[in-house]
Amino acid sequence: MTVIDTIPEKIIVMSVVVFITYLQTTVNFYIVGPALGGWLTLLAQKSLAPMNITLISLYINYYLACITSPGHTPLNWQPPSTVLRPDTSLSTRIGFDKPRYCNICQAYKPPRAHHCKQCGKCILKMDHHCPWIGNCVGFGNYPYFIRFVFSVTLCCSYGLYLLIWRFQSMLNDKRRPWITDKPSNLELVVVVINIILVAFVILIVGILAVYHAYCLIKGQTTIEGSEKRKTRRMVRRRKIDPVEFPFDVGFLHNICAVLGYNIISWLIPLPSPGNGIDFAVKSDTDPLVIYNWPPYDPKNTTDSLIDDDDYDEHNEHDEQWIGRSLVRRDSEGYLVKEITMDDRMNMLNQMDTEEGNHDWRFDDADENEYYYDSADEEDEENELDTNYEDYGEYEVTPEHNDPVQSLIIHDKPTEDEHQMT
């Protein structure tokens, strides 16, 4: 958990609004406006117009991103019957033969939907949960979110240009002795602080804008970007057959699917076309791939029913199940099956039978006498050395690399028994 997660989202949203308002107020009415003869002059309005236009877009889209529902799974929605019950006579792709189901919501997941822990619901075309807007970013508000990110980047970039221009002009005025109306030190400090703050915003939000521009062109969300990497890794390891991301239909169509099919509408705060469930896909795409993306790992059965976002909710249940089924993880993290004492005895009996030695059977052996833990290995060896003559000839046979060892006892008469005979 990060520090931002401990702060109520309403306070975060209010802080963002106050921060934006502070920057635009100081730049407009305290720094740039007065330097150009007053905020109401034509020169000031022309110089500040690009920043203020993007500022209006920033405010509107931020408000809509905060209050617009990202979209939730409709009640009683389920995929088509051909997806729920695929034809078993036809070959199906490995990793796509099980429908996506949310064990928390107890409902099927539409294509591209994921469960959000913070919202407690499955979100249509979920991108991520954003504490800076106090909302989940999904199908319903993603177009507003991405316009807000681009507006912040453009507005701050132009504002930084104006601040640097003003800072340079202030330094020049201080060096010119014939200038009587020199800028104050307070104004200089405010300019420097604003330059630092705006540069920081451009660095952080600019990186976010570049990444979401890439996602927009590729027709993917942040979560789907991670899913594509996992899918490529499974394909490389030959766990599943090669498969393409079905929702990438070309960069222009990908952009239009989010911002609208009219280029003018890209600049206007409008919702995305569609219903958040049905999406354009590549031609000849298997319906199972559309409804069951992403593919699950065939060697990890939890992936078929439990999403990555839901997995933590079931860790305790899974550990109890693993304990009951005698399955554990070894030192390298692999799942291995525990061998019980009965299994060990059966294996030794089988080995004894194959070697043709039927003089001694393990059926009635005392497991406390012939079974010990490797932690007590030194004590056991000392005990065997002490009682060597009592047992006669003996041999310690390790079972593969298992730390637990067993004794194979050969029934050899001692010297005392020879003298008695």
Side-chain angles (χ1 to χ4, degrees):
M1 177 180 291
T2 60
V3 177
I4 197 69
D5 295 329
T6 62
I7 305 175
E9 292 182 342
K10 290 184 178 180
I11 296 179
I12 297 176
V13 172
M14 292 176 60
S15 301
V16 171
V17 174
V18 171
F19 180 71
I20 296 172
T21 304
Y22 161 77
L23 289 178
Q24 69 91 10
T25 301
T26 54
V27 172
N28 271 286
F29 304 104
Y30 184 71
I31 299 173
V32 178
L36 296 176
W39 186 78
L40 295 177
T41 62
L42 181 60
L43 179 60
Q45 290 298 313
K46 287 173 59 177
S47 301
L48 292 169
M51 187 189 74
N52 289 332
I53 291 174
T54 53
L55 184 66
I56 294 173
S57 173
L58 184 156
Y59 273 117
I60 294 175
N61 284 289
Y62 184 70
Y63 172 76
L64 292 174
C66 293
I67 68 168
T68 304
S69 171
H72 309 296
T73 304
L75 186 64
N76 297 327
W77 181 91
Q78 64 179 18
S81 58
T82 55
V83 175
L84 285 176
R85 294 174 292 276
D87 190 351
T88 56
S89 63
L90 301 176
S91 60
T92 58
R93 285 180 177 268
I94 299 176
F96 291 99
D97 54 342
K98 295 180 180 179
R100 301 174 65 240
Y101 189 83
C102 179
N103 286 346
I104 299 177
C105 297
Q106 295 294 307
Y108 289 103
K109 294 180 181 180
R112 316 182 79 174
H114 294 274
H115 187 86
C116 177
K117 295 177 183 178
Q118 287 84 352
C119 298
K121 298 178 181 179
C122 285
I123 305 299
L124 298 180
K125 196 185 176 185
M126 179 179 174
D127 189 273
H128 68 286
H129 187 89
C130 181
W132 299 104
I133 66 172
N135 199 358
C136 212
V137 179
F139 173 81
N141 61 350
Y142 184 69
Y144 308 127
F145 173 80
I146 200 167
R147 290 188 183 100
F148 163 71
V149 170
F150 290 154
S151 298
V152 169
T153 305
L154 294 175
C155 181
C156 289
S157 297
Y158 189 77
L160 182 62
Y161 162 75
L162 293 177
L163 289 170
I164 293 176
W165 166 80
R166 179 55 183 157
F167 179 71
Q168 185 178 5
S169 64
M170 291 172 68
L171 294 181
N172 293 335
D173 291 344
K174 280 186 172 293
R175 288 196 296 262
R176 293 167 181 168
W178 60 87
I179 300 293
T180 57
D181 189 14
K182 296 183 180 297
S184 65
N185 292 332
L186 176 61
E187 183 181 357
L188 187 62
V189 171
V190 173
V191 170
V192 172
I193 292 175
N194 281 12
I195 289 176
I196 295 174
L197 293 176
V198 172
F200 179 75
V201 172
I202 293 175
L203 177 63
I204 301 301
V205 181
I207 294 174
L208 186 65
V210 171
Y211 176 73
H212 277 282
Y214 170 80
C215 290
L216 191 65
I217 293 172
K218 290 294 184 179
Q220 68 183 35
T221 62
T222 301
I223 295 177
E224 288 169 345
S226 176
E227 292 172 348
K228 288 169 67 175
R229 289 190 295 270
K230 293 179 181 179
T231 301
R232 286 194 294 266
R233 186 163 58 247
M234 287 192 292
V235 171
R236 285 197 305 269
R237 295 176 180 178
R238 299 183 179 180
K239 292 183 177 182
I240 62 173
D241 297 328
V243 60
E244 293 183 352
F245 181 63
F247 304 107
D248 183 2
V249 292
F251 78 95
L252 183 59
H253 289 284
N254 293 336
I255 296 174
C256 292
V258 175
L259 301 179
Y261 289 93
N262 188 339
I263 295 181
I264 298 178
S265 66
W266 295 4
L267 305 176
I268 303 174
L270 296 174
S272 296
N275 56 10
I277 297 177
D278 302 313
F279 299 95
V281 296
K282 294 181 178 179
S283 59
D284 300 328
T285 302
D286 188 344
L288 292 179
V289 176
I290 299 174
Y291 284 91
N292 298 342
W293 176 274
Y296 66 89
D297 189 342
K299 295 185 179 180
N300 185 0
T301 56
T302 60
D303 286 349
S304 61
L305 294 179
I306 302 177
D307 192 9
D308 290 339
D309 296 329
D310 309 337
Y311 184 74
D312 292 338
E313 304 284 343
H314 301 272
N315 274 347
E316 182 178 354
H317 171 3
D318 292 343
E319 290 175 359
Q320 294 174 356
W321 180 85
I322 289 175
R324 291 197 301 269
S325 61
L326 295 175
V327 175
R328 63 178 176 83
R329 292 190 181 275
D330 64 5
S331 60
E332 296 183 358
Y334 294 98
L335 286 175
V336 294
K337 183 179 183 300
E338 283 283 9
I339 300 178
T340 63
M341 188 60 193
D342 292 337
D343 294 334
R344 297 178 188 275
M345 290 299 179
N346 292 333
M347 292 168 60
L348 290 172
N349 281 333
Q350 184 177 2
M351 292 172 56
D352 191 38
T353 303
E354 292 176 354
E355 293 176 0
N357 184 1
H358 304 283
D359 296 333
W360 202 91
R361 304 294 295 175
F362 280 85
D363 296 334
D364 300 327
D366 184 2
E367 65 180 39
N368 295 325
E369 182 178 355
Y370 298 107
Y371 178 83
Y372 65 95
D373 195 286
S374 58
D376 302 326
E377 183 175 354
E378 183 177 352
D379 296 337
E380 287 289 342
E381 288 179 354
N382 294 336
E383 183 180 350
L384 287 172
D385 292 339
T386 303
N387 301 326
Y388 174 84
E389 294 183 356
D390 294 338
Y391 286 99
E393 182 180 349
Y394 70 96
E395 178 184 1
V396 179
T397 305
E399 292 184 13
H400 305 290
N401 294 325
D402 199 292
V404 179
Q405 298 176 339
S406 302
L407 296 177
I408 299 178
I409 309 300
H410 301 283
D411 191 10
K412 179 179 179 179
T414 63
E415 293 182 1
D416 294 338
E417 291 176 343
H418 273 298
Q419 293 175 0
M420 292 177 62
T421 57

